[in-house]
Amino acid sequence: MTILLLTLSEALADSWRAVLGRERCWRVTDTATLAGLLENDQLVLVDLALPGLNDADWPALCRRARVIAMSSNPDNAEGLAWLQCGAAGYAHAYSTPDLLQQVVSTVETGSSWVGRELLSLLCGQLGSRLPAAGNEAWRERVTAREAEVVTALKRGMANKDIARELDIAERTVKAHLSSLFQKFGVDDRLQLLLKLA
């Protein structure tokens, strides 16, 4: 499927095309043209440096497409705002080729992409809204150690920090997370916390 690149910068569009394939990337320079070209679930990379982005009806566009908001100067507040609009991803506009490919392939498969810092922030915010300890029906489906991992996730902790706190190897944390993802039919920690909520 074609990837639409919403940017005024030909140089940025060329750098994205070089990584993602010139034949599958089309550059558009305004939201009206973008809206006219969109097909359901089409992938769109949006250069957040584009003037007038706030004028577009982004929640409606994000419902029709898989939007990745690409920022030249990423910050958590901006990322959170775009995710709340329905963007499927938020990344640096000048990501390395390997990272850009990973972001795009993750979003193409139906998952979401956010950086580690924003992911920790989101998990912490979501975790604070989960039911209080003792009122969680999900605990019946997990082991005691998996419940400890979930408790740490609710605080927005990274795998390395969870391993340190629980005095286990980081690969063991990853194994517990894989088991939790399988039990609850999710692909990542954010989806897991949403499911548990």
Side-chain angles (χ1 to χ4, degrees):
M1 179 176 276
T2 302
I3 300 172
L4 297 177
L5 311 175
L6 178 61
T7 181
L8 289 178
S9 170
E10 186 63 41
L12 182 58
D14 278 344
S15 72
W16 290 345
R17 283 184 193 117
V19 174
L20 303 173
R22 296 191 182 286
E23 67 287 343
R24 69 184 291 223
C25 295
W26 290 353
R27 178 176 161 239
V28 294
T29 58
D30 61 82
T31 54
T33 304
L34 173 69
L37 291 173
L38 273 184
E39 298 174 15
N40 284 339
D41 290 329
Q42 184 155 28
L43 189 63
V44 180
L45 273 63
V46 178
D47 177 6
L48 298 187
L50 190 74
L53 279 181
N54 295 334
D55 300 335
D57 185 10
W58 284 107
L61 289 171
C62 288
R63 282 191 296 275
R64 289 182 56 202
R66 305 280 301 154
V67 172
I68 303 173
M70 304 293 287
S71 179
S72 299
N73 190 19
D75 85 26
N76 290 338
E78 179 184 58
L80 190 56
W82 274 89
L83 294 171
Q84 287 172 333
C85 278
Y90 179 75
H92 200 295
Y94 297 94
S95 295
T96 64
D98 288 345
L99 182 58
L100 181 59
Q101 284 178 337
Q102 188 176 5
V103 170
V104 168
S105 67
T106 298
V107 172
E108 279 181 321
T109 62
S111 294
S112 298
W113 177 275
V114 294
R116 282 192 180 132
E117 186 178 324
L118 184 54
L119 180 61
S120 284
L121 176 71
L122 289 169
C123 287
Q125 287 181 354
L126 184 58
S128 69
R129 295 183 180 131
L130 291 175
N135 296 333
E136 303 133 324
W138 58 265
R139 284 189 180 266
E140 299 168 4
R141 297 177 57 189
V142 302
T143 67
R145 188 58 99 177
E146 289 170 347
E148 291 175 330
V149 169
V150 169
T151 300
L153 285 181
K154 288 168 51 174
R155 296 194 327 261
M157 295 177 73
N159 290 358
K160 177 174 50 175
D161 299 322
I162 295 170
R164 193 174 307 124
E165 181 172 289
L166 300 180
D167 197 26
I168 57 178
E170 192 172 345
R171 70 179 180 280
T172 306
V173 173
K174 290 177 182 178
H176 288 308
L177 286 171
S178 293
S179 174
L180 286 162
F181 297 163
Q182 184 177 16
K183 285 179 182 180
F184 292 97
V186 297
D187 295 320
D188 59 49
R189 61 184 62 215
L190 194 55
Q191 289 178 6
L192 176 64
L193 290 175
L194 285 168
K195 186 89 161 199
L196 298 182

